[in-house]
Amino acid sequence: MLERILSIIRQRVRESALELWGITPGDVVVNVPPQLSFGDLALPVAFDLAKRLSAERHEKRTPRQLAEALAERLRDIEGVARVEVAGGGYINLFLKRAQFLRHLMTAGEEVTQSPEKIIVEHTSINPNKAAHIGHLRNAVLGDTLVRLLRSIGRRVEVHNYIDNTGVQVADIVVGFLYLERKTREEIEQIPVKFDHYCWDLYAQVTAWYEREPQALELRRRTLAEIEAGNNPTAELAEYLSMRVLNCQLDTLDRLNIRYDLLPREGEILHLKFWDRAFEMLKSAGLVVYETTGKNKGCWVMRGQRPTGDETTAEEEAAKILVRSDGTVLYTAKDIAYHLWKLGRLGVDFNYRPFRTYQDGHVTWITTREGEETQRHTRPMFGHGTAYLSVIGSEQSYLQAFVKQAIQALVPDDDQVRQSAHIGYEKVSLTPQACLELGIELSPEEQTRRQISMSGRRGLGVKADDLIDKLEEKAIAEVHQRHPELDTEACRAIGQSIARAALRYFLVKYSRTTPIAFDFAEALAFEGETGPYAQYAVVRANSIFQKLRDAGMTPQGLEALEEGNLEQMLTGTEGDDLWSLIYLAGRLSEVVRQACASYEPALVAKYVFQLAQRFNAFYHTYHILSESESARRELYIAIADLVRRQLQRALNLLGIEVPDLM
């Protein structure tokens, strides 16, 4: 209902401004006032219109005069009780409270399914070792964006790009063949979790290169053999990378994160995606072969620097697509991959099913040869309306160059304009979290606010270890609160709480905020945490269980007269109840704002505010002991509304609610 009212308001303002003054406003901003006395919605549009009238038409009108005229055009909107002009020209609208509540209690979600497809690429961990906490921020952000976009009717295809031919995979091959001198059979018999084993081996190989720089020649030779293919080294690299990938998918499944397609770099190279993109770039005059200077022998992308400022050395290097030795750089392969996503490359992958989950979801992977099986019906991959790439903020300049190249190849196309790099800052650990994970810190490090990780040197935290520790702590808390539960029940509830703690922690901060993970902060049952939000729903559910136990059957708002309901929602108590109802009714609006800005933190913040307001309601209004039946029915309706909205919001964050906590 609120979204419909907002849509009508914006349309009326645009139509009225054009009719009355010959001006079409841009975005019509509708705010939520800081106080209920100022209304439920506030429009500052008159201030902008007054400036434009003066500048464009040389007409002098005060914002208040314009606001008075617009207010007249808004007073007959269904669901609006009254419209007032306040201050220098604000338009304040007050909603019909009883009508709003009845609508929320009876109306289902009205979602229009879009035929357009967005391709969201996230996680993209090198398949050479275990995932770490930084990868988890990427994966949780990406997965939450997917859930949010799908909830508003967008069709989404989820990619996890696999660099199975890069130097990181080559280093693991070097480690097994030349450092540990293991045979393929010995490698296959390694009994421990394979990505954890490779984590330690990768750090050992890095240290080996530093001690004996001549060993880097083994890396170069191994990388060349992997890229050439059809040899024992390439076959070993394929085995290692796919075994590690399976382990990584197991880890991410612990957080309910899955993918539709795993595009591999090996196929991008083998199927000549870059060759096709390279010809397109050369034909369009977007690349130049440098014959002099520091980039002599390189193919370099033309174009202005995305930010318009002086180009730094690092950003200048990013414009190199092909080195003088023929090496195709990441930027170039990304251009080819994104062109394929948009259906602009003219070539396609081959595919085969890679993993089928218990619920029937199939994750596909690209392959050099067509290996599709008859029992699977393959979706049509690619051909997206737009792409979103969840990649660390440190690659912002590189992603800007990539988009610039694609935009030059596909000019004036909404596909490119709607595409975006979803950047995020890094994750570190608090010193206390490091100590709880068994990481030794110097006295000086223990005084820092956060400890940065370095996976290359083995100074990091495996995602599995982090999740294990969270589950251990959550299970212990559940057992302490509910000693009557058996071990399996405690484990299931503890795992649910741990997932909520981690997922909520990783999205509650804006993407551009560096964060330091802390166990105590994430697992707290009080404050801005996943467990706190879960507990609010558990508490709301307990109300209805107690009603059933007492043999009390809610009659619903249908039993209340409109006038009586409206009266109960006025005055001091009515304002208090209305503030909770109105907040619960704003979920769809918040979700759309989060989708428009690609900022899941907006939904996380909303969840906390709604849970906080509900807990205050729970302690203030006592449903079971309320003697007045009409008021009790109102309280029950509000509790039911809030628990449903909280449950829905938590589902969008990938958080389920256990039966008890």
Side-chain angles (χ1 to χ4, degrees), residues 118-131:
I118 298 176
I119 295 176
V120 178
E121 175 197 349
H122 68 81
T123 308
S124 304
I125 311 170
N126 290 319
N128 69 319
K129 59 184 175 64

Side-chain angles (χ1 to χ4, degrees), residues 276-300:
R276 185 65 171 262
F278 195 24
E279 289 305 315
M280 293 171 67
L281 289 166
K282 286 191 288 187
S283 297
L286 297 174
V287 292
V288 60
Y289 183 76
E290 298 284 2
T291 57
T292 60
K294 60 183 178 181
N295 293 333
K296 181 180 179 180
C298 300
W299 283 93
V300 179

Side-chain angles (χ1 to χ4, degrees), residues 31 42-47 63-64 67 84-92:
N31 296 322
L43 283 71
V45 65
F47 296 95
R64 187 168 182 99
E84 297 178 354
V85 176
Y90 285 97
I91 304 172
N92 295 335

Side-chain angles (χ1 to χ4, degrees), residues 35-99:
Q35 299 178 33
L36 278 178
S37 60
F38 297 160
D40 301 310
L41 301 168
L43 283 71
V45 65
F47 296 95
D48 178 59
L49 287 175
K51 292 178 182 176
R52 289 186 56 189
L53 271 174
S54 176
E56 298 174 19
R57 304 179 70 88
H58 307 292
E59 294 184 23
K60 297 296 182 182
R61 303 281 187 92
T62 67
R64 187 168 182 99
Q65 289 174 323
L66 301 178
E68 294 280 7
L70 289 173
E72 287 300 318
R73 304 292 186 98
L74 302 175
R75 288 197 166 95
D76 65 341
I77 295 176
E78 177 64 23
V80 174
R82 68 183 192 277
V83 182
E84 297 178 354
V85 176
Y90 285 97
I91 304 172
N92 295 335
L93 295 90
F94 298 78
L95 302 180
K96 293 179 180 178
R97 295 180 175 184
Q99 186 184 66

